[in-house]
Amino acid sequence: MTLISWIIRILLIAFVVRLVLRALFPPRPAARAPRKPLERAGGALVQDPHCGTYVPKSRALVSGTGEHAKFFCSTECRDRYLSGHARRHAS
């Protein structure tokens, strides 16, 4: 046989072996990278006045403006703080 026919046979056998191995041991799915970073390093943190949690300023809920702005970690903390604050000023 010629050299070319041997090369073709070896390549064909390697291809069949690869197909059999893939059928027996399928490749594992690659770990998915997060879609976007949660927060960039170096961002400013603000403290929730109700629970004391520090939150990145870019993700905090804001109530008020200017110097009187309050930053909250969640709507629940914001609502509890504002309802307590309103009760204190009402009495």
Side-chain angles (χ1 to χ4, degrees):
M1 283 200 182
T2 65
L3 180 62
I4 294 177
S5 66
W6 278 106
I7 292 173
I8 292 173
R9 284 184 184 185
I10 291 172
L11 290 175
L12 185 61
I13 290 170
F15 180 72
V16 170
V17 168
R18 182 171 183 242
L19 285 178
V20 170
L21 289 175
R22 279 201 160 200
L24 294 175
F25 307 103
R28 295 181 181 167
R32 297 176 96 187
R35 292 182 184 172
K36 63 179 182 176
L38 296 177
E39 187 64 32
R40 294 176 61 183
L45 294 177
V46 291
Q47 187 174 19
D48 184 315
H50 179 71
C51 68
T53 302
Y54 284 93
V55 184
K57 191 173 184 179
S58 61
R59 292 192 343 204
L61 300 172
V62 183
S63 177
T65 58
E67 292 181 13
H68 302 289
K70 301 287 184 193
F71 298 92
F72 300 93
C73 66
S74 67
T75 55
E76 183 179 314
C77 279
R78 181 194 62 198
D79 296 344
R80 285 184 180 177
Y81 178 83
L82 293 176
S83 67
H85 194 69
R87 269 189 246 132
R88 277 182 270 160
H89 285 333
S91 49

